[in-house]
Amino acid sequence: MRRRLAIALLLASAAGVALAQVILRTIPDDAKRGLMSHVQGMTVVITPVEGTNFNVVGVEVDLAAGAQIRDGRNMVVVPSAVPPNTLVRYQLNPDGTVRRVWILSPAEAAQPVPTN
């Protein structure tokens, strides 16, 4: 009986952690949507997709110092681990460098792009 209770509590806590990760991931409405590919070092190419105000296709941009790329589970990813043409939402600094990137989960990708 105790073993079953311990297993049930363990499963419930694991489900709670997974749910908390989903709930805590917030992507700002002003983050633009695009396809991102790693070029080399701290350089990526971002190709905007529909619903963005970015009007140039395939722009090579640098990641800012301290930039974060987060995957669909909200884990930090190094730039070289990003697969080519990955659907992302991103924010730029005033100088044009990329400061934050969120790799979209399938559920996030299915959501409409917020209009600003």
Side-chain angles (χ1 to χ4, degrees):
M1 180 70 157
R2 285 185 182 179
R3 186 175 184 174
R4 286 184 183 177
L5 180 59
I7 291 171
L9 288 174
L10 181 63
L11 290 174
S13 66
V17 169
L19 181 60
Q21 284 182 336
V22 171
I23 291 170
L24 294 177
R25 180 171 160 112
T26 303
I27 301 173
D29 287 344
D30 68 340
K32 298 179 181 357
R33 187 181 284 215
L35 298 173
M36 188 175 90
S37 299
H38 178 252
V39 176
Q40 69 179 30
M42 295 294 282
T43 304
V44 296
V45 169
I46 297 179
T47 303
V49 295
E50 285 184 58
T52 65
N53 296 328
F54 205 72
N55 59 6
V56 181
V57 175
V59 177
E60 202 170 280
V61 292
D62 290 327
L63 296 170
Q68 287 190 357
I69 301 172
R70 295 198 172 260
D71 67 12
R73 297 174 299 147
N74 217 30
M75 304 295 289
V76 174
V77 175
V78 296
S80 60
V82 176
N85 294 317
T86 298
L87 185 60
V88 300
R89 301 253 323 261
Y90 61 96
Q91 289 182 315
L92 301 174
N93 283 326
D95 66 358
T97 57
V98 178
R99 75 171 179 245
R100 293 166 63 185
V101 176
W102 295 268
I103 296 173
L104 300 181
S105 68
E108 291 166 337
Q111 295 175 359
V113 178
T115 55
N116 297 342

